[in-house]
């Protein structure tokens, strides 16, 4: 097991080295060993698999006993087709909430306890309990039928992919605006793409450092800004953050930067908060969270919120969620004031989230109600119940050599990227919400590692996705009838079918990280990589050097 972990660490280092702009002879030699290391790792995994499959994430008998379904009240799922508009409508009509124990587990405990309770109570109470159990049974059957229908629909889904060519380096962030896709890259540019024709619409140059983050203000806030600038009320704006310490506001139609905000720190994350006059929230490489007025562009607040780089900032109504390289998550309330609008509600450390020491130290967030989905460079999608600090996790890969770089919600779906360090395979996993049950996977030959993701739906409710990383790809959902050459069919991974949401308390023994490995590598590769400017594992320095430079 020790050699396996050392090989995993070296492969993580190589993946980070491959996305650097320039390489030293030593780094080129390390990269040349990737095939050799992957082959050796595959041999060891085969030896260790036995009855437990690859390193025990799927099929481990001890952990199988501890797996449990998400303890949320059942919600309505769409029963016909998977378009996002129908799924989202179904979710808006229901509300997810925790229950003391799933009805299925109550049935598994046997009827003896239930009979005992009935005998202790009065006869009317027994009748009431019986009716309640009958309703639960009926609801469970209906849920299962609806999920089966949804799963069947996705198993028949097809997509067509189109490569958007133009960036000269890694794509670090993407957003979708109407029929446009906006991408930011380490090559310092922001590009605007026309999706129907898959062509470059605008090239927005102006940053002097790698572009790290993008955000699209809602149309009503764009109209206010357009009116103040005497532009068309149909003008759309995009925010971009960069390692050059600037946030720039771009007018997409005219292709110009209308405002630059200097933040005094490398900008590593940002989001727009559509409350009152609007706020821009930024995160820095030093752990600072800042608030800026959309109306005056002035700084409203600066907070030393995290110990390391802020790698993700997301908003949900008046709430702001920030995540950092050390694995910590903070929840803020926007009080819509001119000074100090952000008030800290909760702060959960990396020890609570279990996300410290992840690959590259990069944590991304996707909030939903009382839960926040966390992607942190491991084989799982973590789920933080941010009001209580309780944790659970969802298996996103059948092996611990798997990496989850981003988790995104789109119309009743949770979509997690999946990359295997051992063989270089990449895919997207689809889960139903709010139950977090596995639906299907989208994979294709020579798929690149996916670092960022955006989604939207057409007027007919079909899905459109865009993925970024080494390649920028647009995905178009096709009608279920007919198939053309090159179309990609969604498939199911049988290794993930039995994976349910796990309580973090039941699986804390599995939370081993590379930090626990021996530091005395025989070939001193870890020391070489630190000397070359890449940290062994985790930390904001590694993330900044490998993703931003």
């Amino acid at each position: 097991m020790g050699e396996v972990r050392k090989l995993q660490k070296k492969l993580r280092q190589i993946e980070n080295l491959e996305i650097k702009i320039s390489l030293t002879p030593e780094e080129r030699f390390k990269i040349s060993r990737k095939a050799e290391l992957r082959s050796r790792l595959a041999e060891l995994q085969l030896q260790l698999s036995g009855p437990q499959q690859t390193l025990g994430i799927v099929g481990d008998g001890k952990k199988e006993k501890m797996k449990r379904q998400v303890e949320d009240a059942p919600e309505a799922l769409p029963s016909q087709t998977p378009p996002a508009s129908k799924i989202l409508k179904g979710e808006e009509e229901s509300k997810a909430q925790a229950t003391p124990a799933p009805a299925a587990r109550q049935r598994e405990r046997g009827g003896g306890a239930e009979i005992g309770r009935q005998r202790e109570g009065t006869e009317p109470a027994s009748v009431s309990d019986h009716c309640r159990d009958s309703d639960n049974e009926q609801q469970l059957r209906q849920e299962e039928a609806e999920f089966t229908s949804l799963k069947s629909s996705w198993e028949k889904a097809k997509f067509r992919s189109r490569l958007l060519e133009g960036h000269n380096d890694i794509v670090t962030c993407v957003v979708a605006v109407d029929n446009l896709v906006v991408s930011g890259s380490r090559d310092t540019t922001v590009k605007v793409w026309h999706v129907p024709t898959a062509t470059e619409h605008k090239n927005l140059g102006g940053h002097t450092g790698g572009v790290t983050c993008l955000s699209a203000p809602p149309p009503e806030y764009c109209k206010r800004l357009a009116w103040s600038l005497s532009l068309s009320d149909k003008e759309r704006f995009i925010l971009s953050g960069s390692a050059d310490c600037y946030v720039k506001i771009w007018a997409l139609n005219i292709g110009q930067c209308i405002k630059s905000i200097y933040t005094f720190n490398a900008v590593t994350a940002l989001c727009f908060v559509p409350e009152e006059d609007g706020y821009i929230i930024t995160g820095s490489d030093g752990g600072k969270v800042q608030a800026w007025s959309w109306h005056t562009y002035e700084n409203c607040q600066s907070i030393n919120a995290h110990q390391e780089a802020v790698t993700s900032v997301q908003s949900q109504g008046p709430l702001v969620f920030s995540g950092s390289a050390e694995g910590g998550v903070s929840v803020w309330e926007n009080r819509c004031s001119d000074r100090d609008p952000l008030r800290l509600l909760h702060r959960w450390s990396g020890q609570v989230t279990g996300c410290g020491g992840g690959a590259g130290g990069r944590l991304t967030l996707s909030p939903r109600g009382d839960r926040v989905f966390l992607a942190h460079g491991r084989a799982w999608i973590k789920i933080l119940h941010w009001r209580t600090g309780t944790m659970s996790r969802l298996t996103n890969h059948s092996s611990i050599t798997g990496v989850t770089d981003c988790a995104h919600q789109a119309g009743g779906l949770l979509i997690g990227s999946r990359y295997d360090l051992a063989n270089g395979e990449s895919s997207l996993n689809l889960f139903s919400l709010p139950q977090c049950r596995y639906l299907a996977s989208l994979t294709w030959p020579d798929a690149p590692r996916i670092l960022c993701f955006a989604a939207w739906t057409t007027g007919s409710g079909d899905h459109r996705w865009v993925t970024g990383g080494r390649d920028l790809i647009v995905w178009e959902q096709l009608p279920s009838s007919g198939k053309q050459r090159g179309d990609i069919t969604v498939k199911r991974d049988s290794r993930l079918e039995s994976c349910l949401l796990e309580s973090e308390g039941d699986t804390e023994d599995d939370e081993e990280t590379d930090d626990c490995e021996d530091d005395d590598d025989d070939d001193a590769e870890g020391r070489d990589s630190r000397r070359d400017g890449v940290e062994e594992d985790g930390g904001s320095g590694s993330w900044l050097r490998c993703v931003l430079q």
Side-chain angles (χ1 to χ4, degrees), residues 444-455:
W444 61 102
D446 302 320
R449 184 172 179 176
I450 297 171
L451 300 177
C452 51
F453 183 94

Side-chain angles (χ1 to χ4, degrees), residues 135 337 388 496 521 526 541:
D135 290 342
S337 60
T388 62
L496 294 178
D521 284 1

Side-chain angles (χ1 to χ4, degrees), residues 207-282:
H207 282 296
T208 58
V211 178
T212 60
C213 44
L214 296 168
S215 184
E220 58 269 26
Y221 286 87
C222 292
K223 287 183 179 180
R224 297 180 195 176
L225 180 57
W227 180 81
S228 67
L229 298 173
S230 299
L231 298 175
S232 168
D233 59 1
K234 296 182 179 179
E235 183 65 78
R236 295 301 302 270
F237 297 92
I238 284 290
L239 306 170
S240 64
S242 168
D244 63 8
C245 305
Y246 276 99
V247 171
K248 291 184 179 291
I249 305 176
W250 306 89
L252 296 185
N253 291 338
I254 64 176
Q256 295 180 7
C257 175
I258 58 97
K259 183 65 179 180
S260 293
I261 304 173
Y262 188 70
T263 68
F264 297 94
N265 301 276
V267 181
T268 52
L270 67 78
C271 73
F272 186 87
V273 180
E275 296 289 326
E276 298 292 340
D277 291 334
Y279 296 84
I280 304 169
I281 309 297
T282 61

Side-chain angles (χ1 to χ4, degrees), residues 228-484:
S228 67
L229 298 173
S230 299
L231 298 175
S232 168
D233 59 1
K234 296 182 179 179
E235 183 65 78
R236 295 301 302 270
F237 297 92
I238 284 290
L239 306 170
S240 64
S242 168
D244 63 8
C245 305
Y246 276 99
V247 171
K248 291 184 179 291
I249 305 176
W250 306 89
L252 296 185
N253 291 338
I254 64 176
Q256 295 180 7
C257 175
I258 58 97
K259 183 65 179 180
S260 293
I261 304 173
Y262 188 70
T263 68
F264 297 94
N265 301 276
V267 181
T268 52
L270 67 78
C271 73
F272 186 87
V273 180
E275 296 289 326
E276 298 292 340
D277 291 334
Y279 296 84
I280 304 169
I281 309 297
T282 61
S284 79
D285 63 341
K288 185 176 292 186
V289 171
Q290 295 178 290
W292 309 81
S293 169
W294 176 247
H295 178 64
T296 64
Y297 312 120
E298 294 181 355
N299 179 254
C300 303
Q301 189 174 10
S302 294
I303 311 166
N304 292 318
H306 297 277
Q307 297 176 2
E308 298 185 25
V310 178
T311 57
S312 182
V313 178
Q314 298 290 332
S315 65
Q316 178 181 266
L319 300 178
V320 175
F321 300 81
S322 60
S324 66
E326 83 272 8
V329 175
S330 294
V331 185
W332 313 84
E333 178 189 17
N334 183 2
R335 296 173 294 181
C336 301
S337 60
D338 294 335
R339 303 303 305 174
D340 300 334
L342 297 180
R343 180 174 71 91
L344 181 65
L345 295 179
H346 297 280
R347 175 178 287 134
W348 305 108
S349 68
Q351 292 181 335
V352 174
T353 65
C355 296
R362 185 170 181 260
L363 176 68
T364 60
L365 311 176
S366 182
R368 174 187 172 84
D370 290 344
R371 300 186 293 179
V372 185
F373 297 98
L374 313 177
H376 66 117
R378 297 294 177 187
W380 309 277
I381 297 174
K382 292 291 192 73
I383 304 174
L384 168 65
H385 297 257
W386 61 265
R387 294 186 187 275
T388 62
T390 55
M391 295 293 302
S392 52
R393 72 182 189 185
L394 180 66
T395 300
N396 190 49
H397 204 289
S398 58
S399 167
I400 58 173
T401 57
V403 171
T404 302
D405 287 302
C406 56
H408 188 91
Q409 298 174 65
L413 294 176
L414 173 64
I415 304 172
S417 68
R418 181 176 73 175
Y419 180 75
D420 196 326
L421 292 170
N423 55 34
E425 294 179 353
S426 183
S427 64
L428 292 171
N429 288 336
L430 312 181
F431 302 88
S432 66
L433 286 175
Q435 290 86 352
C436 296
R437 296 182 64 179
Y438 173 70
L439 289 169
S441 298
L442 180 65
T443 185
W444 61 102
D446 302 320
R449 184 172 179 176
I450 297 171
L451 300 177
C452 51
F453 183 94
W456 71 102
T457 54
T458 64
S460 60
D462 291 327
H463 288 263
R464 296 290 184 272
W465 300 337
V466 58
T467 57
R470 290 185 176 90
D471 292 331
L472 182 63
I473 303 173
V474 170
W475 301 91
E476 176 184 7
Q477 187 180 6
L478 302 174
S480 57
S481 59
K483 183 178 181 180
Q484 298 182 12

Side-chain angles (χ1 to χ4, degrees), residues 512-524:
E512 302 177 53
T513 68
D514 293 338
D515 296 333
C516 300
E517 299 179 41
D518 296 332
D519 294 328
D520 55 344
D521 284 1
D522 295 335
D523 58 359

